[in-house]
Amino acid sequence: MIKKRYNTRPKTTIQRLILIVKLLAVFAVTGLTVWGIEKIKASDILKTKVEWQIDKNLPINHSILKAIVLPLTEGKYLLDLTEIKHALEAEPWVATAEIKRSFFHTIQINIVAQKIAMRWQDVACKVKDAPECLGYISTKGVLFIPSKMVGSTALLAHSKANQKVVTELYKDYQTYQTIVGDKKIKAFSKTHIDQLIFYPNTTVILGYQQKQKRLKRFLKTYKKLRKTIAKAKLNQASFDMRYPKGFVLKW
């Protein structure tokens, strides 16, 4: 049977010193690494720099956009550009936000403002002028209800606060305006029926079916009546075109 022999001799002083030096070196490297990381955190190296290009027609202050972006960039090592984009586009006045990484922790943000095609009012509201009942429809047919309202001479649209209804309203408006040509639409109400008001104050009730046909019939009727009725009177009249073989005229 072979017996194993173990070195039981005590370590020399030099060996002990070498071991201590190695341990101190490990502690020193670890400490320097932690210190370096903390210094980097405190420096500007990892701070996100945001370069802005903002539509001059945006009616809200730049500080509002900065406040939206700050919590999504401050202290972040990996930026989620999609998250920043969605956060900015949640602001009603922002139509689109294009985010690009230009260099390491520098991003370029391009803001395009909503363009107003119509003023909008919610027909379901009892208090018509309540802030949540007023908004705009963009040139893309999108309903947006901002906290900051601006002056506008765009036509007034009435409908429910439903994007599907608003999309149909905007599409119908474009069709109606094409049909009437130079005759300018002042207001458009889409509820269970369609109703138009032309400048200065002529009301035309189209109903919910054969609307384009009824609108064309109104134009012919209006032209004939102009020969016998004063324009000033017709401009304040109401035409109900829902009758299959005629219409109802009120002043």
Side-chain angles (χ1 to χ4, degrees):
M1 187 177 194
I2 300 174
K3 293 184 178 180
K4 293 182 179 180
R5 295 183 179 182
Y6 296 93
N7 186 3
T8 58
R9 288 182 300 174
K11 293 181 179 179
T12 66
T13 302
I14 293 176
Q15 287 175 322
R16 290 194 184 96
L17 288 174
I18 291 172
L19 179 61
I20 292 170
V21 169
K22 286 181 178 180
L23 289 173
L24 288 174
V26 170
F27 289 137
V29 170
T30 303
L32 286 171
T33 302
V34 173
W35 177 82
I37 291 172
E38 293 301 320
K39 290 296 287 183
I40 289 173
K41 285 182 179 179
S43 71
D44 290 334
I45 295 176
L46 293 179
K47 286 185 178 180
T48 302
K49 181 180 179 182
V50 181
E51 297 175 345
W52 295 89
Q53 185 175 342
I54 300 176
D55 192 330
K56 63 180 181 179
N57 295 315
L58 190 75
I60 57 174
N61 195 284
H62 184 192
S63 62
I64 295 174
L65 301 181
K66 285 184 175 180
I68 294 172
V69 169
L70 185 61
L72 301 177
T73 57
E74 190 175 36
K76 303 282 185 179
Y77 304 118
L78 294 175
L79 299 179
D80 189 333
L81 302 189
T82 301
E83 183 183 23
I84 297 172
K85 174 182 174 66
H86 290 165
L88 286 168
E89 290 180 350
E91 160 56 47
W93 275 113
V94 175
T96 59
E98 183 181 319
I99 321 293
K100 291 182 179 179
R101 193 186 300 277
S102 56
F103 178 75
F104 192 47
H105 257 54
T106 300
I107 58 173
Q108 173 75 38
I109 300 179
N110 182 23
I111 300 293
V112 177
Q114 297 277 21
K115 294 181 180 178
I116 299 171
M118 299 176 171
R119 292 173 294 134
W120 174 85
Q121 192 173 63
D122 190 347
V123 294
C125 287
K126 293 181 179 179
V127 181
K128 299 300 182 183
D129 293 332
E132 66 274 13
C133 299
L134 301 174
Y136 304 96
I137 299 173
S138 75
T139 52
K140 301 293 184 182
V142 176
L143 171 65
F144 63 103
I145 306 174
S147 55
K148 176 181 174 59
M149 303 296 289
V150 298
S152 174
T153 58
L155 71 92
L156 180 61
H158 299 83
S159 75
K160 292 181 180 179
N162 179 293
Q163 183 55 56
K164 185 177 179 180
V165 174
V166 169
T167 299
E168 185 180 355
L169 181 152
Y170 189 64
K171 183 179 178 181
D172 285 346
Y173 156 71
Q174 291 177 310
T175 300
Y176 295 158
Q177 189 61 71
T178 299
I179 291 172
V180 299
D182 294 336
K183 200 170 183 63
K184 193 174 180 182
I185 299 172
K186 178 181 180 180
F188 178 13
S189 176
K190 179 176 281 296
T191 53
H192 60 288
I193 63 171
D194 280 14
Q195 178 174 296
L196 301 173
I197 298 178
F198 292 97
Y199 279 96
N201 202 32
T202 305
T203 300
V204 181
I205 302 171
L206 299 175
Y208 65 93
Q209 58 185 357
Q210 298 182 341
K211 294 174 288 187
Q212 295 180 34
K213 183 178 179 180
R214 290 171 178 175
L215 181 57
K216 291 175 183 177
R217 185 153 52 88
F218 158 73
L219 294 174
K220 292 179 181 179
T221 300
Y222 183 88
K223 187 176 181 180
K224 289 180 181 179
L225 291 176
R226 278 284 291 114
K227 297 176 181 178
T228 57
I229 301 174
K231 184 177 180 180
K233 199 169 186 178
L234 286 177
N235 284 343
Q236 302 298 319
S238 173
F239 291 78
D240 190 340
M241 307 304 298
R242 290 176 291 178
Y243 297 86
K245 294 184 179 181
F247 61 93
V248 171
L249 177 61
K250 296 179 180 179
W251 345 90

